[in-house]
Amino acid sequence: MNTSPVRTRFAPSPTGALHIGGVRTALFSWLYARRHGGQYVLRIEDTDQERSSQEYVEVILEGFEWLGLDADEGPIFQSRRLERYREVAGRMIADGRAYRCYCTPDELAEMRARQVAAGEKPRYDGRCRDRDRPREGVAPAVRFRNPKSGQVVVDDLVHGRVVFENGELDDLVILRSSGTPTYHFGVVVDDADMSITHVIRGDDHLNNTPRHINLFHALGLTPPRYAHIPMIAGPDGAKLSKRHGAVSVLEYRDRGYLPDAMLNYLVRLGWSHGDKEVFSRREMIELFDLTGVQKSPARFDIEKLNWLNQHYIKEAGAGVLADGLAEQLRRLGVEIADPASLAPIAEAFRERAKTLVELAEQAHVYVADFDRYDAKGAAKHLTPDSAGLLRQVRERLAELRDWTAESTQRVVEEVANASGTGMGKVAQPVRVAVTGGTASPGIGVTLHILGRDKTLARLDRAIELARTPPVSS
């Protein structure tokens, strides 16, 4: 058993967006390293130059920066280690553990077609295994000389003991004819060079593990421990797709989810600690272990994510919410010079929003003018009968020296009492007048957040409209 200090890694390929399945794998790796006082490495597997792009590299790095999953080493790029892979492959050829394969793509395709037609498992038939002469005009690949007999035992930290027969494994390509490593070879050389002790990855990689273990043994090295975690399924049990939520993790940021809520949600996809649902980062680090990882697929549930996000919005510090709110308002075209000024708005609406997007949509009217009133609300509350009440409120508010939630609330109550119409008959017309709609926090809080100038200007506009109904929608 490997007793070295724990070192885990996450190794995404920059060939597409970073999805939540990948983030969860990274999170489990990060947590395991943090729990055991080890180190977490970020490695970018970018040897597929045709499909890899710098844009996706930046998405990966930006996503982890947003989530706060800091790496102790990295990012390390495979594309900068090509000479190392070629060196190891050359040594394996010299030692007889690998060989050059001169089969052309057409010959390999013909081989597989013939095997399929005969009802056999498609696999390389080893025709170049004992070849001792080069083939003119053909750039060779390099294949690993896999053992023909015996077994590979994987003592998986999630699935337990899994046995594979070597006879079922063919001689895989480790170095392409272009000189670039295949996934199987690159990952083994990297894990060895980087002293990775624990590999945590999706269980779709479980069938790759015997190949990797054989490569480690061929190199005279001890393989890391493996933990293959369950895949994430949609609510219907089918493979997670875009219709379920398999989108870039940055889209969740843009949709107004908090990073702590996202991590809390992801840690519970396939892992549990009793019935506990809400975990701080500190608690995740203290409690996470692979013994709590389940074997069956976890199901993505957007409603559960929304519930958690709403919880974190309610619990977040005003500064955190204000910064997030400022970013979402920018997306709506409203630039905020001082995000800290949004703290009272964030405080007023935190109980009403599941996401920062919802928070921004509700807060928008407090930082920018609105173009139209709610049609039904205006028709009911901005009438000639309410115009006089609105004027009284406006006059009293203009006289206030201290503009607070309490003082503005008191003005509305006093006008209501003096007119004998009841609080609702005054507060609701004021609410429609200053926000354009029929829903808002308490009227005193609403007026306090808007401030004196916006409140008086909006009351003036509403009074003018109320005098000459109906109000156009």
Side-chain angles (χ1 to χ4, degrees):
M1 181 179 293
N2 196 329
T3 58
S4 302
V6 167
R7 282 175 61 84
T8 66
R9 51 77 166 172
F10 179 62
S13 297
T15 56
L18 178 64
H19 295 126
I20 60 172
V23 173
R24 186 195 59 167
T25 300
L27 173 61
F28 281 17
S29 299
W30 185 85
L31 287 174
Y32 193 78
R34 295 288 176 266
R35 163 77 186 275
H36 294 281
Q39 294 182 311
Y40 164 74
V41 179
L42 176 60
R43 188 170 73 222
I44 307 296
E45 298 187 342
D46 61 342
T47 56
D48 186 347
Q49 291 297 297
E50 290 185 0
R51 299 176 58 219
S52 297
S53 76
Q54 183 60 33
E55 175 188 354
Y56 288 129
V57 170
E58 291 170 2
V59 166
I60 291 169
L61 300 181
E62 188 176 352
F64 288 136
E65 181 180 4
W66 172 59
L67 293 168
L69 295 183
D70 54 314
D72 298 295
E73 293 181 21
I76 299 168
F77 294 87
Q78 279 191 335
S79 60
R80 301 173 189 175
R81 289 172 45 81
L82 296 182
E83 287 305 314
R84 174 59 176 160
Y85 307 126
R86 293 164 187 162
E87 173 196 348
V88 176
R91 193 167 70 243
M92 292 179 71
I93 293 173
D95 292 344
R97 293 168 291 166
Y99 60 91
R100 295 182 177 88
C101 175
Y102 291 89
C103 295
T104 67
D106 288 343
E107 290 170 340
L108 294 173
E110 180 185 353
M111 178 194 309
R112 285 169 173 74
R114 187 169 61 254
Q115 291 167 337
V116 170
E120 300 172 358
K121 179 181 178 180
R123 53 188 295 147
Y124 183 65
D125 62 10
R127 64 181 63 180
C128 289
R129 190 178 176 101
D130 299 315
R131 186 186 185 100
D132 56 5
R133 293 183 180 180
R135 184 175 176 183
E136 191 69 28
V138 177
V142 177
R143 288 186 181 271
F144 170 56
R145 196 182 298 274
N146 194 79
K148 288 186 175 182
S149 60
Q151 297 178 326
V152 184
V153 178
V154 180
D155 289 316
D156 192 81
L157 294 171
V158 174
H159 293 271
R161 181 183 173 90
V162 186
V163 180
F164 297 87
E165 298 292 333
N166 273 321
E168 294 296 313
L169 307 175
D170 60 0
D171 294 350
L172 76 154
V173 172
I174 59 174
L175 207 65
R176 303 181 184 92
S177 59
S178 63
T180 58
T182 60
Y183 161 75
H184 299 290
F185 189 52
V187 75
V188 168
V189 174
D190 288 346
D191 285 346
D193 285 354
M194 298 169 195
S195 302
I196 300 302
T197 63
H198 293 77
V199 172
I200 300 172
R201 58 189 181 189
D203 58 14
D204 56 330
H205 283 287
L206 182 56
N207 288 335
N208 292 330
T209 304
R211 298 181 179 278
H212 299 171
I213 289 177
N214 278 342
L215 278 167
F216 271 103
H217 288 160
L219 293 171
L221 301 170
T222 301
R225 298 297 307 277
Y226 290 93
H228 291 89
I229 61 178
M231 302 298 285
I232 301 175
D236 55 2
K239 182 180 179 180
L240 191 66
S241 63
K242 285 188 177 181
R243 66 189 176 90
H244 297 126
V247 296
S248 166
V249 68
L250 291 181
E251 289 190 43
Y252 288 96
R253 178 198 63 184
D254 297 345
R255 292 177 184 181
Y257 291 92
L258 296 177
D260 283 344
M262 201 74 214
L263 293 182
N264 191 156
Y265 179 71
L266 291 177
V267 81
R268 287 287 287 111
L269 282 180
W271 176 80
S272 62
H273 182 79
D275 295 327
K276 187 175 176 63
E277 294 287 350
V278 179
F279 298 84
S280 67
R281 289 184 189 237
R282 179 183 56 79
E283 289 173 325
M284 281 190 273
I285 292 171
E286 290 177 352
L287 299 174
F288 182 82
D289 213 340
L290 294 170
T291 55
V293 176
Q294 65 191 39
K295 297 179 182 179
S296 57
R299 296 199 177 194
F300 182 83
D301 183 353
I302 191 66
E303 292 304 318
K304 182 68 171 290
L305 174 58
N306 287 340
W307 175 82
L308 271 172
N309 202 56
Q310 187 169 39
H311 167 81
Y312 277 91
I313 285 176
K314 290 178 180 178
E315 298 296 321
V320 172
L321 280 189
D323 288 342
L325 177 56
E327 177 58 32
Q328 293 298 335
L329 286 170
R330 289 188 194 100
R331 295 177 185 277
L332 296 176
V334 181
E335 291 292 334
I336 304 297
D338 179 16
S341 67
L342 297 174
I345 300 178
E347 190 65 40
F349 286 97
R350 68 163 73 230
E351 297 284 338
R352 298 165 174 258
K354 294 179 180 178
T355 68
L356 293 179
V357 168
E358 290 185 5
L359 190 66
E361 289 170 346
Q362 296 177 59
H364 186 269
V365 71
Y366 293 85
V367 295
D369 288 332
F370 56 90
D371 295 328
R372 62 182 65 189
Y373 297 91
D374 172 75
K376 291 183 179 180
K380 181 177 180 180
H381 297 291
L382 299 188
T383 65
D385 289 340
S386 67
L389 294 172
L390 290 173
R391 187 178 300 107
Q392 293 179 49
V393 171
R394 196 262 186 230
E395 291 172 354
R396 295 286 303 277
L397 288 174
E399 296 171 354
L400 280 179
R401 292 187 177 182
D402 296 322
W403 191 273
T404 66
E406 293 75 19
S407 64
T408 54
Q409 174 83 18
R410 187 165 54 251
V411 164
V412 177
E413 290 175 349
E414 290 173 352
V415 171
N417 291 335
S419 65
T421 58
M423 185 64 175
K425 294 291 185 179
V426 179
Q428 201 65 350
V430 172
R431 179 173 285 109
V432 174
V434 299
T435 70
T438 57
S440 78
I443 194 62
V445 172
T446 298
L447 298 179
H448 174 59
I449 292 173
L450 276 171
R452 181 189 303 272
D453 293 343
K454 279 193 179 73
T455 296
L456 298 182
R458 291 180 182 186
L459 282 170
D460 286 339
R461 181 174 69 165
I463 290 167
E464 185 64 28
L465 292 171
R467 290 169 55 191
T468 56
V471 178
S472 171
S473 62

